[in-house]
Short mmCIF file of all heavy atoms in Angstrom, two decimals:
data_model
loop_
_atom_site.label_atom_id
_atom_site.label_comp_id
_atom_site.label_asym_id
_atom_site.label_seq_id
_atom_site.Cartn_x
_atom_site.Cartn_y
_atom_site.Cartn_z
N TRP Y 1 0.83 -1.20 0.00
CA TRP Y 1 0.00 0.00 0.00
C TRP Y 1 0.86 1.25 0.00
O TRP Y 1 0.43 2.30 -0.45
CB TRP Y 1 -0.97 0.00 1.17
CG TRP Y 1 -0.29 -0.05 2.51
CD1 TRP Y 1 0.07 -1.16 3.20
CD2 TRP Y 1 0.12 1.06 3.30
NE1 TRP Y 1 0.71 -0.80 4.37
CE2 TRP Y 1 0.74 0.55 4.46
CE3 TRP Y 1 0.02 2.45 3.14
CZ2 TRP Y 1 1.26 1.39 5.44
CZ3 TRP Y 1 0.54 3.27 4.13
CH2 TRP Y 1 1.15 2.73 5.27
N TYR Y 2 2.09 1.17 0.51
CA TYR Y 2 3.01 2.30 0.49
C TYR Y 2 4.02 2.06 -0.62
O TYR Y 2 4.92 1.24 -0.49
CB TYR Y 2 3.71 2.47 1.84
CG TYR Y 2 4.62 3.66 1.90
CD1 TYR Y 2 4.10 4.95 1.88
CD2 TYR Y 2 5.99 3.51 1.93
CE1 TYR Y 2 4.93 6.05 1.92
CE2 TYR Y 2 6.83 4.62 1.97
CZ TYR Y 2 6.29 5.88 1.97
OH TYR Y 2 7.11 6.98 2.00
N ARG Y 3 3.87 2.75 -1.75
CA ARG Y 3 4.65 2.46 -2.95
C ARG Y 3 6.00 3.15 -2.99
O ARG Y 3 6.82 2.87 -3.83
CB ARG Y 3 3.85 2.87 -4.20
CG ARG Y 3 2.59 2.10 -4.42
CD ARG Y 3 2.86 0.70 -4.88
NE ARG Y 3 3.66 0.68 -6.07
CZ ARG Y 3 3.32 0.19 -7.23
NH1 ARG Y 3 2.15 -0.35 -7.36
NH2 ARG Y 3 4.13 0.20 -8.24
N ARG Y 4 6.27 4.08 -2.12
CA ARG Y 4 7.53 4.83 -2.19
C ARG Y 4 8.62 4.22 -1.31
O ARG Y 4 9.35 4.91 -0.63
CB ARG Y 4 7.29 6.29 -1.80
CG ARG Y 4 6.34 7.00 -2.71
CD ARG Y 4 6.29 8.48 -2.40
NE ARG Y 4 5.27 9.15 -3.15
CZ ARG Y 4 5.44 9.68 -4.35
NH1 ARG Y 4 6.61 9.60 -4.93
NH2 ARG Y 4 4.45 10.27 -4.96
N ARG Y 5 8.72 2.92 -1.36
CA ARG Y 5 9.75 2.21 -0.59
C ARG Y 5 11.04 2.15 -1.40
O ARG Y 5 11.03 2.18 -2.62
CB ARG Y 5 9.28 0.79 -0.32
CG ARG Y 5 7.98 0.71 0.42
CD ARG Y 5 7.51 -0.69 0.47
NE ARG Y 5 8.51 -1.52 1.14
CZ ARG Y 5 8.25 -2.58 1.83
NH1 ARG Y 5 7.02 -2.99 1.92
NH2 ARG Y 5 9.19 -3.27 2.40
N SER Y 6 12.14 2.02 -0.70
CA SER Y 6 13.42 1.82 -1.37
C SER Y 6 13.50 0.40 -1.90
O SER Y 6 13.09 -0.55 -1.22
CB SER Y 6 14.58 2.04 -0.39
OG SER Y 6 14.55 3.36 0.10
N ALA Y 7 14.02 0.26 -3.09
CA ALA Y 7 14.20 -1.08 -3.66
C ALA Y 7 15.42 -1.74 -3.03
O ALA Y 7 16.41 -1.07 -2.74
CB ALA Y 7 14.38 -0.99 -5.17
N PRO Y 8 15.37 -3.04 -2.83
CA PRO Y 8 16.57 -3.74 -2.35
C PRO Y 8 17.62 -3.75 -3.47
O PRO Y 8 17.30 -3.47 -4.63
CB PRO Y 8 16.06 -5.15 -2.06
CG PRO Y 8 14.84 -5.31 -2.88
CD PRO Y 8 14.24 -3.95 -3.04
N PRO Y 9 18.85 -4.07 -3.15
CA PRO Y 9 19.90 -4.12 -4.19
C PRO Y 9 19.54 -5.12 -5.29
O PRO Y 9 19.01 -6.20 -5.01
CB PRO Y 9 21.14 -4.60 -3.42
CG PRO Y 9 20.86 -4.33 -1.99
CD PRO Y 9 19.37 -4.41 -1.83
N PHE Y 10 19.81 -4.73 -6.54
CA PHE Y 10 19.56 -5.61 -7.67
C PHE Y 10 20.48 -5.22 -8.82
O PHE Y 10 21.04 -4.13 -8.84
CB PHE Y 10 18.09 -5.57 -8.11
CG PHE Y 10 17.64 -4.24 -8.66
CD1 PHE Y 10 17.66 -4.00 -10.02
CD2 PHE Y 10 17.18 -3.25 -7.82
CE1 PHE Y 10 17.24 -2.78 -10.54
CE2 PHE Y 10 16.76 -2.03 -8.31
CZ PHE Y 10 16.79 -1.79 -9.68
N GLU Y 11 20.62 -6.15 -9.76
CA GLU Y 11 21.42 -5.91 -10.97
C GLU Y 11 20.56 -6.16 -12.20
O GLU Y 11 19.75 -7.08 -12.21
CB GLU Y 11 22.62 -6.86 -11.02
CG GLU Y 11 23.68 -6.57 -9.99
CD GLU Y 11 24.88 -7.49 -10.17
OE1 GLU Y 11 25.21 -7.81 -11.33
OE2 GLU Y 11 25.45 -7.90 -9.16
N VAL Y 12 20.76 -5.34 -13.22
CA VAL Y 12 20.08 -5.52 -14.50
C VAL Y 12 21.15 -5.72 -15.56
O VAL Y 12 22.11 -4.96 -15.64
CB VAL Y 12 19.22 -4.29 -14.86
CG1 VAL Y 12 18.58 -4.47 -16.23
CG2 VAL Y 12 18.17 -4.05 -13.80
N ARG Y 13 20.99 -6.79 -16.35
CA ARG Y 13 21.92 -7.07 -17.44
C ARG Y 13 21.13 -7.26 -18.73
O ARG Y 13 20.18 -8.02 -18.76
CB ARG Y 13 22.73 -8.33 -17.14
CG ARG Y 13 23.69 -8.17 -15.98
CD ARG Y 13 24.49 -9.44 -15.73
NE ARG Y 13 23.68 -10.54 -15.21
CZ ARG Y 13 23.37 -10.70 -13.93
NH1 ARG Y 13 23.78 -9.83 -13.03
NH2 ARG Y 13 22.66 -11.74 -13.54
N TRP Y 14 21.54 -6.55 -19.77
CA TRP Y 14 20.94 -6.72 -21.09
C TRP Y 14 21.79 -7.72 -21.85
O TRP Y 14 23.01 -7.61 -21.89
CB TRP Y 14 20.88 -5.38 -21.82
CG TRP Y 14 19.90 -4.45 -21.16
CD1 TRP Y 14 20.20 -3.49 -20.24
CD2 TRP Y 14 18.49 -4.43 -21.33
NE1 TRP Y 14 19.05 -2.86 -19.83
CE2 TRP Y 14 17.98 -3.42 -20.50
CE3 TRP Y 14 17.61 -5.17 -22.11
CZ2 TRP Y 14 16.62 -3.13 -20.42
CZ3 TRP Y 14 16.26 -4.86 -22.04
CH2 TRP Y 14 15.79 -3.85 -21.20
N THR Y 15 21.13 -8.71 -22.44
CA THR Y 15 21.83 -9.74 -23.20
C THR Y 15 21.28 -9.75 -24.63
O THR Y 15 20.32 -9.04 -24.93
CB THR Y 15 21.61 -11.14 -22.58
OG1 THR Y 15 20.22 -11.49 -22.74
CG2 THR Y 15 21.99 -11.15 -21.10
N ALA Y 16 21.88 -10.57 -25.47
CA ALA Y 16 21.39 -10.69 -26.85
C ALA Y 16 19.96 -11.24 -26.87
O ALA Y 16 19.18 -10.94 -27.77
CB ALA Y 16 22.32 -11.60 -27.66
N GLU Y 17 19.59 -12.04 -25.87
CA GLU Y 17 18.26 -12.65 -25.81
C GLU Y 17 17.22 -11.74 -25.16
O GLU Y 17 16.03 -11.89 -25.40
CB GLU Y 17 18.30 -13.97 -25.04
CG GLU Y 17 19.08 -15.07 -25.74
CD GLU Y 17 20.58 -14.92 -25.54
OE1 GLU Y 17 21.01 -14.38 -24.50
OE2 GLU Y 17 21.33 -15.33 -26.43
N GLY Y 18 17.63 -10.84 -24.28
CA GLY Y 18 16.67 -10.00 -23.56
C GLY Y 18 17.30 -9.33 -22.36
O GLY Y 18 18.39 -8.78 -22.44
N VAL Y 19 16.64 -9.44 -21.23
CA VAL Y 19 17.10 -8.79 -20.01
C VAL Y 19 17.12 -9.80 -18.87
O VAL Y 19 16.31 -10.72 -18.82
CB VAL Y 19 16.22 -7.57 -19.65
CG1 VAL Y 19 14.80 -7.99 -19.31
CG2 VAL Y 19 16.82 -6.74 -18.53
N GLU Y 20 18.08 -9.62 -17.96
CA GLU Y 20 18.15 -10.41 -16.73
C GLU Y 20 18.09 -9.44 -15.56
O GLU Y 20 18.78 -8.42 -15.57
CB GLU Y 20 19.46 -11.18 -16.65
CG GLU Y 20 19.62 -12.25 -17.69
CD GLU Y 20 20.94 -13.00 -17.57
OE1 GLU Y 20 21.82 -12.56 -16.79
OE2 GLU Y 20 21.08 -14.01 -18.25
N ILE Y 21 17.28 -9.77 -14.58
CA ILE Y 21 17.21 -8.99 -13.34
C ILE Y 21 17.53 -9.94 -12.21
O ILE Y 21 16.87 -10.97 -12.05
CB ILE Y 21 15.82 -8.37 -13.14
CG1 ILE Y 21 15.47 -7.45 -14.32
CG2 ILE Y 21 15.77 -7.60 -11.81
CD1 ILE Y 21 14.06 -6.92 -14.29
N GLU Y 22 18.55 -9.59 -11.44
CA GLU Y 22 18.97 -10.46 -10.33
C GLU Y 22 18.85 -9.72 -9.02
O GLU Y 22 19.38 -8.62 -8.85
CB GLU Y 22 20.41 -10.92 -10.54
CG GLU Y 22 20.86 -11.92 -9.51
CD GLU Y 22 22.21 -12.55 -9.83
OE1 GLU Y 22 22.84 -12.15 -10.82
OE2 GLU Y 22 22.61 -13.45 -9.07
N ILE Y 23 18.10 -10.34 -8.10
CA ILE Y 23 18.01 -9.86 -6.73
C ILE Y 23 18.51 -10.97 -5.83
O ILE Y 23 18.89 -12.03 -6.31
CB ILE Y 23 16.57 -9.40 -6.39
CG1 ILE Y 23 15.55 -10.49 -6.65
CG2 ILE Y 23 16.23 -8.14 -7.14
CD1 ILE Y 23 14.12 -10.09 -6.34
N GLU Y 24 18.57 -10.73 -4.55
CA GLU Y 24 19.22 -11.66 -3.63
C GLU Y 24 18.76 -13.11 -3.79
O GLU Y 24 19.57 -14.03 -3.81
CB GLU Y 24 18.98 -11.21 -2.19
CG GLU Y 24 19.69 -12.06 -1.16
CD GLU Y 24 19.48 -11.56 0.25
OE1 GLU Y 24 18.84 -10.50 0.44
OE2 GLU Y 24 19.96 -12.24 1.17
N HIS Y 25 17.47 -13.35 -3.94
CA HIS Y 25 16.94 -14.72 -3.98
C HIS Y 25 16.29 -15.09 -5.30
O HIS Y 25 15.59 -16.11 -5.37
CB HIS Y 25 15.91 -14.90 -2.86
CG HIS Y 25 16.46 -14.71 -1.49
ND1 HIS Y 25 17.24 -15.65 -0.85
CD2 HIS Y 25 16.40 -13.65 -0.65
CE1 HIS Y 25 17.60 -15.20 0.33
NE2 HIS Y 25 17.11 -13.99 0.48
N LEU Y 26 16.51 -14.30 -6.35
CA LEU Y 26 15.79 -14.53 -7.59
C LEU Y 26 16.58 -14.02 -8.79
O LEU Y 26 17.20 -12.97 -8.73
CB LEU Y 26 14.45 -13.79 -7.52
CG LEU Y 26 13.53 -13.85 -8.72
CD1 LEU Y 26 13.01 -15.26 -8.94
CD2 LEU Y 26 12.37 -12.89 -8.53
N LEU Y 27 16.53 -14.80 -9.87
CA LEU Y 27 17.09 -14.37 -11.15
C LEU Y 27 15.98 -14.51 -12.19
O LEU Y 27 15.47 -15.60 -12.41
CB LEU Y 27 18.29 -15.23 -11.55
CG LEU Y 27 18.83 -15.00 -12.97
CD1 LEU Y 27 19.33 -13.57 -13.14
CD2 LEU Y 27 19.93 -16.00 -13.30
N LEU Y 28 15.60 -13.39 -12.80
CA LEU Y 28 14.58 -13.39 -13.84
C LEU Y 28 15.26 -13.19 -15.19
O LEU Y 28 16.07 -12.27 -15.34
CB LEU Y 28 13.59 -12.24 -13.62
CG LEU Y 28 12.59 -12.05 -14.75
CD1 LEU Y 28 11.40 -12.97 -14.53
CD2 LEU Y 28 12.15 -10.61 -14.84
N ARG Y 29 14.96 -14.06 -16.14
CA ARG Y 29 15.44 -13.90 -17.52
C ARG Y 29 14.22 -13.73 -18.40
O ARG Y 29 13.36 -14.61 -18.43
CB ARG Y 29 16.25 -15.12 -17.95
CG ARG Y 29 17.55 -15.26 -17.24
CD ARG Y 29 18.37 -16.40 -17.82
NE ARG Y 29 19.63 -16.49 -17.14
CZ ARG Y 29 20.06 -17.58 -16.52
NH1 ARG Y 29 19.34 -18.68 -16.54
NH2 ARG Y 29 21.22 -17.58 -15.93
N TYR Y 30 14.18 -12.62 -19.12
CA TYR Y 30 13.00 -12.30 -19.92
C TYR Y 30 13.42 -12.00 -21.36
O TYR Y 30 14.33 -11.23 -21.61
CB TYR Y 30 12.27 -11.09 -19.34
CG TYR Y 30 11.12 -10.63 -20.18
CD1 TYR Y 30 9.94 -11.36 -20.24
CD2 TYR Y 30 11.21 -9.47 -20.94
CE1 TYR Y 30 8.88 -10.94 -21.04
CE2 TYR Y 30 10.16 -9.04 -21.73
CZ TYR Y 30 9.01 -9.79 -21.77
OH TYR Y 30 7.97 -9.37 -22.56
N THR Y 31 12.70 -12.61 -22.30
CA THR Y 31 12.87 -12.34 -23.73
C THR Y 31 11.62 -11.62 -24.20
O THR Y 31 10.51 -12.14 -24.06
CB THR Y 31 13.05 -13.65 -24.52
OG1 THR Y 31 14.20 -14.34 -23.99
CG2 THR Y 31 13.26 -13.37 -25.99
N ALA Y 32 11.78 -10.43 -24.75
CA ALA Y 32 10.63 -9.61 -25.15
C ALA Y 32 9.84 -10.26 -26.27
O ALA Y 32 10.39 -10.94 -27.13
CB ALA Y 32 11.12 -8.23 -25.59
N SER Y 33 8.54 -10.03 -26.23
CA SER Y 33 7.63 -10.53 -27.25
C SER Y 33 6.58 -9.45 -27.51
O SER Y 33 6.11 -8.80 -26.57
CB SER Y 33 6.94 -11.81 -26.76
OG SER Y 33 5.85 -12.13 -27.60
N ALA Y 34 6.21 -9.26 -28.76
CA ALA Y 34 5.18 -8.28 -29.09
C ALA Y 34 3.83 -8.66 -28.48
O ALA Y 34 2.97 -7.80 -28.30
CB ALA Y 34 5.05 -8.15 -30.61
N ARG Y 35 3.64 -9.93 -28.16
CA ARG Y 35 2.40 -10.40 -27.55
C ARG Y 35 2.38 -10.22 -26.04
O ARG Y 35 1.43 -10.60 -25.37
CB ARG Y 35 2.17 -11.87 -27.89
CG ARG Y 35 1.97 -12.07 -29.36
CD ARG Y 35 1.63 -13.50 -29.71
NE ARG Y 35 1.80 -14.42 -28.61
CZ ARG Y 35 2.09 -15.69 -28.75
NH1 ARG Y 35 2.25 -16.20 -29.95
NH2 ARG Y 35 2.23 -16.48 -27.71
N GLY Y 36 3.44 -9.70 -25.47
CA GLY Y 36 3.51 -9.53 -24.03
C GLY Y 36 4.14 -10.73 -23.36
O GLY Y 36 5.01 -11.37 -23.93
#
């Protein structure tokens, strides 16, 4: 409900396939698609 919180440390990496977002307990790898 309080949206103005500080984000925890994270890293963003752009790759040939898309983007990677890494936080302490999670690694997200996303490849963009026009369909969402």
Side-chain angles (χ1 to χ4, degrees):
W1 60 271
Y2 183 69
R3 296 287 304 241
R4 298 188 188 271
R5 302 172 59 150
S6 298
F10 65 94
E11 290 184 36
V12 177
R13 293 181 291 277
W14 292 95
T15 67
E17 293 80 29
V19 65
E20 294 180 349
I21 301 173
E22 186 171 4
I23 55 181
E24 184 178 356
H25 299 283
L26 178 67
L27 172 62
L28 173 86
R29 291 186 179 123
Y30 175 73
T31 302
S33 167
R35 296 185 350 208

